[in-house]
Amino acid sequence: MSLDPTVTNADHYRVIFENDQVRVLDYTDAPGDETTPHEHPDSVMYTLSSFKRRLMSGDFQMDVDLDADTVLWLPAQQHHAKNIGETPTHVIFVELKQAGAAPAPGVVEGVLGPQ
């Protein structure tokens, strides 16, 4: 089964650019929306809106509250998430297509959410 977010959560993720080096995803959701498990390689995340969400992987979870126009590093990971705020989420992900950019299996402390 694919854990590509554009397959598992096609109603939230769409590819807006892709070449040999990167894939750029546009992500949107509404308050209360929840994604199914998916994975991201090493990525750069740019927030276009302010939002609050809960990231979950196995028994580990963390809440993030991010402002619009924030740029963060997202290490490779598997997770699912829920918009727990009162505003829609709008994010651009620039996924790197390099050797070693595959998600770490399972939960590794400190490897969930943006860094």
Side-chain angles (χ1 to χ4, degrees), residues 6-60:
T6 66
V7 174
T8 61
N9 296 278
D11 52 335
H12 296 291
Y13 287 93
R14 68 184 177 96
V15 177
I16 57 175
F17 177 82
E18 186 167 12
N19 67 18
D20 293 343
Q21 302 300 312
V22 298
R23 180 171 79 157
V24 181
L25 304 179
D26 183 69
Y27 175 84
T28 57
D29 73 15
D33 285 352
E34 187 168 351
T35 61
T36 59
H38 58 278
E39 63 186 20
H40 296 278
D42 288 340
S43 306
V44 174
M45 181 177 81
Y46 174 56
T47 62
L48 298 172
S49 66
S50 298
F51 58 87
K52 184 172 185 178
R53 37 193 322 97
R54 176 163 296 134
L55 300 171
M56 299 159 279
S57 185
D59 292 333
F60 184 73

Side-chain angles (χ1 to χ4, degrees), residues 31-102:
D33 285 352
E34 187 168 351
T35 61
T36 59
H38 58 278
E39 63 186 20
H40 296 278
D42 288 340
S43 306
V44 174
M45 181 177 81
Y46 174 56
T47 62
L48 298 172
S49 66
S50 298
F51 58 87
K52 184 172 185 178
R53 37 193 322 97
R54 176 163 296 134
L55 300 171
M56 299 159 279
S57 185
D59 292 333
F60 184 73
Q61 70 179 26
M62 68 181 283
D63 292 349
V64 294
D65 194 350
L66 296 172
D67 293 324
D69 295 322
T70 300
V71 179
L72 296 167
W73 176 251
L74 184 74
Q77 59 191 265
Q78 292 181 13
H79 64 231
H80 62 284
K82 181 175 184 176
N83 182 329
I84 58 172
E86 298 178 7
T87 60
T89 304
H90 193 185
V91 175
I92 299 294
F93 291 95
V94 179
E95 297 182 333
L96 305 181
K97 292 183 175 183
Q98 63 186 18

